[in-house]
């Protein structure tokens, strides 16, 4: 990879025109190993799974970098622990406190054929970088006719309610980014998913915004393969098969939905639960097939209901499954208010709200 | 009643260290600024220009006319250095032992004012200690102290009038305390009860008081800087005898809004004091990884903003500098930048353990020897204004009051459910009315799921 930066741009352009990432990584489904075939596994929480993915990313690609506010000492959620010690301060570093700077810098780094793994400390603080993400990262390839791209960019950021975060440590801003062609939006539900999806996101030849459910950083513990493995993007997963209603969600909300499904089962309602995992471009086919089977759809997310990604799913499924639907699509989401501190239990799409909506949809 | 004091009949130390070289040639006009017309701390208005001595070569040379004005030409290719030879000095009045520094010029403070500042600093310190403890006991969900930065909080507040409008970051509750925010008002916010002006919607420490001209704290950093320029522009248009004071940390100066705020204030000639608390740390990030300039004050000049660096742990220096800044901002209708040098003694917040990234000895030293409270106490005691028994009495009283305020606030019920839906807009729109009905139905179906202390 020596030579001047000009030559590198040339090389990058030729690589990207073949629409492949360099250095032998690929996110194509065929090369993904099935996670359950991997051994050994270890029981770890979500932040440790992220940490493992970052270790692997840095280790397997010498042109990868991890940076952001306070990542040097391990990050405020400990996701980057040990990385600076192992890979050095030139590849793992604190940045000045400036989100637009972090993402702009990351785009530049990625445009030079590197993997730039940038951390935004809280999703609530991603907005100073909105212009860089929406107008720059997302359009880098398209506006240059694929002469340039910043596909090596991955923005990791913790999102969601934790019980005491108030306005600015709780938000779920994913739908803003789902309105932006050119980036991918990925949200894992568990440690094992987090590791595999993060590695795919890092190695995907497109910029990815990767939202991490911070409620689960410590809380969610799962057997996670210690090896390097990737899980496919834009592929939803049916977590629970059922016949009466399809539930679609992502991230931390899935465990709430799972509880609602279990309760519904006690009352004889058979729910199919789908983890969307990648919000754009999303796996419509899996959702469509499920709704064609069940005839009913419920979507749940923490973000405010109006303009949330649930609206997009609902509209698409109505377009595709109109004649098969037996009830209106239900959305159980956050309220159309800023995220409130003491009213958080009222604001959230809780298990019982979901259960009520399952019942009223099934009994429509 | 303040009078001007000069501790000794010496040239002020700031003037001494500077060779003045701008007043003999034609380029000098660029640098000469209108003098602060009071004889008070304005005497110290020696302007540190970070320009190198181009003028020697340029004396008889032509200028070029560019859209921004005339610029002298030079035959020498000379880059402005990235740093000046010496670091920008820090204005100080009291030394470590609370003695006046020879030659220092400062705004005299009366016994009454001094004792007021002292006891409010102690009150802030006590509040912090007890609230921090309350968080550790699980009574509060979050807290963040101002430990080590009491002088910046209190002395800057004391240098202002109530008409001056404050836009805080979050480590400036002392300004509110000085302005008369009661301990009950603090605890009501911390517990998010129904008396909290913010109606329980924000995390603890996000205080705000319209009555006291103190804008509500917002977590996203540096957003308050460009806003401050707008607020100040309004004061300017209304011809108010007041200015805006906007507080922010060293870390926050890296945000784009810092640039926007300073540039807007300069261009719009807005009377705002930018008060940077340079406490060395932004969570775990030291200033050496935040910027490579000599701190913040020198950035002011690049924006065309008069700036000063002061010892933030020196009550008299902060007080004097902010008073002078205020008078200049209002009289000359322009922004002023004050960089107060200090140290964040506490962990960033109750979510942080700073021993993971910095040395305990360093923290301890700033907590004890370098405490602004200790230093100021030495001075007031030496003046015969304060004795050990006053100290015991003061601390005992405040402690009792803070504990009482906590107990009272804890018992007050939470804000009613309607407060979830109010204030999103001026009136509750139909979608929120519908959502309120939906929530009330849900509560009826599942009453046990919802907190019992929120009145329905
Ligand atoms: C836009 C934004 N980015 C990140 C954060 C997270 N954060 C909160 S405080 C802080 C450090 C601020 O440091 P500084 O400005 O020096 O203030 P100090 O805490 O030292 O008083 C960070 C990174 C935030 N609140 N807002
Ligand atoms: Mg700081």
């Amino acid at each position: 990879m020596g030579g001047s930066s000009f030559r590198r741009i040339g090389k990058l352009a030729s690589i990207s025109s073949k629409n492949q990432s360099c250095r032998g990584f690929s996110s194509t489904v065929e090369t993904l190993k099935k996670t359950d075939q991997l051994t050994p596994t270890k029981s770890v929480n979500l932040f440790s799974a992220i940490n493992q993915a970052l270790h692997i990313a840095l280790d397997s690609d010498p042109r990868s970098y991890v940076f952001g506010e306070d990542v040097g000492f391990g990050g405020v959620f400990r996701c980057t622990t040990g990385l600076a010690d192992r890979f050095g301060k030139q590849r793992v570093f604190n940045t000045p406190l400036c989100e637009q700077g972090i993402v702009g810098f990351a785009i530049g780094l990625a445009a030079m054929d590197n993997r730039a793994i940038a951390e935004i400390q809280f999703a609530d603080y991603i907005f100073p970088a909105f212009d860089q993400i929406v107008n720059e990262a997302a359009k880098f390839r398209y506006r240059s006719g694929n002469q340039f791209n910043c596909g090596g960019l991955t923005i990791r950021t913790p999102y969601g309610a934790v019980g005491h975060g108030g306005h600015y440590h709780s938000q779920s801003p994913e739908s803003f980014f789902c309105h932006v062609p050119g980036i991918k939006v990925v949200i894992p539900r568990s440690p094992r998913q987090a590791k595999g999806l993060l590695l795919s996101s890092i190695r995907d030849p497109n910029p990815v915004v990767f939202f991490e459910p911070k409620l689960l950083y410590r809380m969610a513990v799962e057997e996670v393969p210690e090896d390097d493995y990737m899980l496919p993007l834009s592929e939803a997963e049916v977590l629970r098969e059922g016949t009466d209603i399809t539930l679609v969600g992502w991230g931390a909300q899935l465990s709430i939905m799972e509880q609602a499904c279990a309760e519904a089962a006690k009352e004889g309602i058979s729910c199919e639960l789908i983890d969307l995992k990648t919000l754009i471009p999303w796996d419509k086919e899996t959702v469509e097939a499920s709704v064609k089977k069940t005839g009913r759809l419920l979507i749940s997310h923490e973000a405010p209901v109006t303009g949330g990604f649930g609206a997009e799913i609902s509209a698409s499924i109505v377009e595709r499954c109109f004649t098969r639907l037996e009830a209106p699509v239900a959305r159980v989401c956050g309220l159309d208010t800023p995220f409130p501190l003491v009213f958080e239990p009222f604001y959230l799409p809780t298990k019982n709200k979901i259960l009520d909506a399952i019942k009223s949809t099934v009994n429509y | 009643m303040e009078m001007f004091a000069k501790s000794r009949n010496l040239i002020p130390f700031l003037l001494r260290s500077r060779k003045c070289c701008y007043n003999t040639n034609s380029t000098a006009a660029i640098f000469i600024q209108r003098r602060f017309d009071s004889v008070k701390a304005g005497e110290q208005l020696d302007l540190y220009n970070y320009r190198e001595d181009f003028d020697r070569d340029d004396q008889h040379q032509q200028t070029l006319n560019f859209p921004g004005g005339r610029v002298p030409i030079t035959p020498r290719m000379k880059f402005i250095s990235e740093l000046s030879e010496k670091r920008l000095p820090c204005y100080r009045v009291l030394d470590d032992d609370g003695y006046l520094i020879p030659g220092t010029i400062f705004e005299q403070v009366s016994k009454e004012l001094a004792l007021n500042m002292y006891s409010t600093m102690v009150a802030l310190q006590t509040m912090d200690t007890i609230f921090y403890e309350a968080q550790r006991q699980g009574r509060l969900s979050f807290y963040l102290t101002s430990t080590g930065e009491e002088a910046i909080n209190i002395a800057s507040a004391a240098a202002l009038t109530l008409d001056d409008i404050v836009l805080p970051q979050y480590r400036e509750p002392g300004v509110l305390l000085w302005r008369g925010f009661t301990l009950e008002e603090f605890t009501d916010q911390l517990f998010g009860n129904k008396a909290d002006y913010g109606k329980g919607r924000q995390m603890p420490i996000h205080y705000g008081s319209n009555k006291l001209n103190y804008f509500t704290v917002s977590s996203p950093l540096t957003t308050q800087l460009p806003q401050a320029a707008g607020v100040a522009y309004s004061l300017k248009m209304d011809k108010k005898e007041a200015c805006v004071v906007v507080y922010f940390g060293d870390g926050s100066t890296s945000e784009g809004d810092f640039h926007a705020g300073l540039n807007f204030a300069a261009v719009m000639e807005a009377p705002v004091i930018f008060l940077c608390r340079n406490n060395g740390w932004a969570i775990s990030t030291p200033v050496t990884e935040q910027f490579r300039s000599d701190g913040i004050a020198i950035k002011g000049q690049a924006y065309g903003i008069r700036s000063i660096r002061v010892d933030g742990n020196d009550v008299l220096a902060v007080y004097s500098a902010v008073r002078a800044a205020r008078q200049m901002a209002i009289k000359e209708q322009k922004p002023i930048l004050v960089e107060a040098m200090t140290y964040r003694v506490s962990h960033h917040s109750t979510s942080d353990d700073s021993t993971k990234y910095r040395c305990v000895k360093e923290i301890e030293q700033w907590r004890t020897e370098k405490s602004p409270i200790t230093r100021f106490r030495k001075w007031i005691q030496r003046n015969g204004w304060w004795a050990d028994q006053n100290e015991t009495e003061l601390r005992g009283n405040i402690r009792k009051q803070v504990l009482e305020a906590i107990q009272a606030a804890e018992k007050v019920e939470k804000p009613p459910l309607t407060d979830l839906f109010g204030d999103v807009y001026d009136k509750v729109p139909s979608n929120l009315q519908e959502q309120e009905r939906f929530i009330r139905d849900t509560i009826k179906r599942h009453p046990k799921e919802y907190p019992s202390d929120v009145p329905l």
Side-chain angles (χ1 to χ4, degrees), chain B residues 370-385:
Chain B
K370 295 185 174 182
S371 159
I373 299 183
T374 314
R375 205 201 300 182
F376 195 54
R377 179 177 168 186
K378 286 177 184 158
W379 186 69
I380 54 173
Q381 273 194 309
R382 199 166 295 119
N383 288 348
W385 295 346

Side-chain angles (χ1 to χ4, degrees), chain B residues 152-213:
Chain B
I152 297 177
N153 269 252
I154 304 304
S156 68
L160 306 172
T161 73
L162 254 181
D163 290 335
D164 299 324
I165 297 179
V166 175
L167 276 75
Q169 179 163 309
Y170 48 65
R171 220 180 286 283
E172 303 89 7
V175 178
L176 260 185
L177 189 64
W178 179 265
R179 290 188 163 207
F181 208 60
T182 64
L183 293 174
E184 289 71 28
E185 287 174 303
F186 280 107
T187 49
D188 289 339
Q189 198 288 328
L190 293 173
F191 285 95
N193 66 29
K194 76 170 185 202
D196 166 25
Y197 301 125
K199 305 182 186 174
R201 293 170 184 150
Q202 284 218 76
M203 281 173 72
I205 68 113
H206 290 65
Y207 314 110
S209 169
N210 190 316
K211 190 178 67 189
L212 298 175
N213 276 332

Side-chain angles (χ1 to χ4, degrees), chain B residues 93-218:
Chain B
V93 175
L94 292 177
D95 70 13
D96 289 340
D97 294 318
Y99 284 99
L100 290 175
I101 288 178
T104 188
I105 293 179
F106 65 102
E107 202 76 52
Q108 181 70 305
V109 299
S110 65
K111 173 182 172 186
E112 190 195 351
L113 177 63
L115 293 187
N116 225 334
M117 288 198 284
Y118 183 72
S119 31
T120 315
M121 287 200 294
V122 170
L124 177 58
Q125 189 182 44
T126 311
M127 233 169 78
D128 273 346
T129 311
I130 297 173
F131 292 156
Y132 189 86
E133 215 28 62
Q135 197 282 338
R136 293 281 112 155
Q137 296 164 3
R139 291 157 86 184
L140 292 177
S141 60
F142 176 84
Y143 194 67
L144 167 161
T145 81
S146 309
T147 312
E149 298 176 41
E150 294 90 350
I152 297 177
N153 269 252
I154 304 304
S156 68
L160 306 172
T161 73
L162 254 181
D163 290 335
D164 299 324
I165 297 179
V166 175
L167 276 75
Q169 179 163 309
Y170 48 65
R171 220 180 286 283
E172 303 89 7
V175 178
L176 260 185
L177 189 64
W178 179 265
R179 290 188 163 207
F181 208 60
T182 64
L183 293 174
E184 289 71 28
E185 287 174 303
F186 280 107
T187 49
D188 289 339
Q189 198 288 328
L190 293 173
F191 285 95
N193 66 29
K194 76 170 185 202
D196 166 25
Y197 301 125
K199 305 182 186 174
R201 293 170 184 150
Q202 284 218 76
M203 281 173 72
I205 68 113
H206 290 65
Y207 314 110
S209 169
N210 190 316
K211 190 178 67 189
L212 298 175
N213 276 332
Y214 190 97
F215 275 43
T216 301
V217 172
S218 164

Side-chain angles (χ1 to χ4, degrees), chain A residues 25-343:
Chain A
F25 290 123
S26 163
S27 62
T28 52
V29 182
E30 304 90 81
T31 62
L32 295 170
K33 298 179 234 172
K34 271 255 163 58
T35 60
D36 24 310
Q37 291 166 356
L38 293 171
T39 47
T41 66
K42 208 173 167 185
S43 176
V44 299
N45 63 21
L46 198 140
F47 83 69
S48 306
I50 298 277
N51 185 253
Q52 283 184 16
L54 295 173
H55 271 279
I56 291 168
L58 286 163
D59 194 34
S60 57
D61 183 352
R63 295 183 66 84
S64 53
Y65 297 84
V66 170
F67 51 90
E69 292 157 19
D70 302 296
V71 307
F73 89 116
V76 297
F77 291 107
R78 314 312 300 147
C79 293
T80 54
T81 303
L83 297 175
D85 284 344
R86 180 161 161 213
F87 299 100
K89 277 191 150 191
Q90 290 198 311
R91 292 181 64 206
V92 179
F93 47 90
N94 286 339
T95 62
L97 206 175
C98 181
E99 293 74 17
Q100 66 185 108
I102 292 169
V103 175
F105 180 90
I107 291 172
L109 196 59
M112 298 302 288
D113 208 5
N114 297 291
R115 306 225 180 265
I117 308 163
E119 176 177 309
I120 299 293
Q121 203 164 76
F122 286 86
D124 311 71
Y125 303 135
I126 204 168
F127 298 106
F130 203 54
D131 190 39
Q132 287 287 352
I133 298 169
V134 174
N135 278 333
E136 297 302 314
K139 299 166 179 58
F140 223 77
R141 189 193 302 275
Y142 196 76
R143 73 183 180 200
S144 69
N146 204 14
Q147 294 181 83
F148 299 94
N149 77 77
C150 59
L153 168 67
T154 304
I155 301 167
R156 298 178 37 245
T157 188
Y159 84 97
V162 290
H164 50 258
H167 297 352
Y168 302 113
H169 297 83
S170 308
Q171 294 177 83
S172 298
E174 69 275 2
S175 74
F176 290 105
F177 300 92
C178 292
H179 198 55
V180 186
I183 54 174
K184 295 188 176 184
V185 174
V186 178
I187 311 184
R189 68 169 186 272
S190 72
R192 184 184 184 124
Q193 291 290 313
K195 181 174 172 183
L197 289 171
L198 181 56
L199 280 165
S200 290
S201 299
I202 290 168
R203 292 160 179 176
D204 188 90
N206 297 284
V208 178
V209 184
F210 190 85
F211 289 100
E212 299 170 2
K214 64 179 176 291
L215 178 71
L216 305 184
Y217 272 143
R218 283 164 199 279
M219 198 188 280
V221 177
E222 195 178 26
E223 287 294 317
V224 174
E226 289 188 293
D227 307 33
D228 181 349
Y229 67 97
M230 298 195 287
L231 295 172
L233 303 187
S234 294
E235 248 182 58
E237 182 181 343
V238 177
L239 300 182
R240 178 190 184 102
E241 291 194 12
T243 51
D244 296 331
I245 181 169
T246 302
L247 277 75
V248 177
W250 49 86
Q253 187 60 10
L254 285 164
S255 69
I256 313 287
M257 297 169 80
E258 172 63 44
Q259 291 167 32
C261 292
E263 298 252 323
K266 287 184 205 154
E267 304 189 26
I269 302 173
S270 163
C271 300
E272 181 143 307
L273 179 62
I274 297 178
D275 177 2
L276 203 57
K277 301 189 196 181
T278 301
L279 275 65
I280 50 162
W282 63 288
D283 181 0
K284 263 183 214 170
E285 291 68 28
T286 299
V287 179
E288 183 185 346
S290 172
V291 175
K292 283 194 167 142
K293 180 176 72 174
T294 62
R296 298 177 189 88
L297 174 63
L298 181 154
I299 307 139
S300 182
H301 55 66
E302 279 179 18
V305 62
T306 299
F309 197 62
E312 176 58 34
I313 298 172
S314 170
S316 299
I317 294 304
V318 169
E319 280 166 8
R320 290 173 173 232
C321 308
F322 183 70
T323 57
R324 308 291 279 269
L325 283 171
E326 295 182 32
V329 177
R331 286 181 291 161
V332 184
C333 303
L335 303 176
D336 289 331
T337 66
F339 200 102
L341 184 80
V342 305
F343 304 114

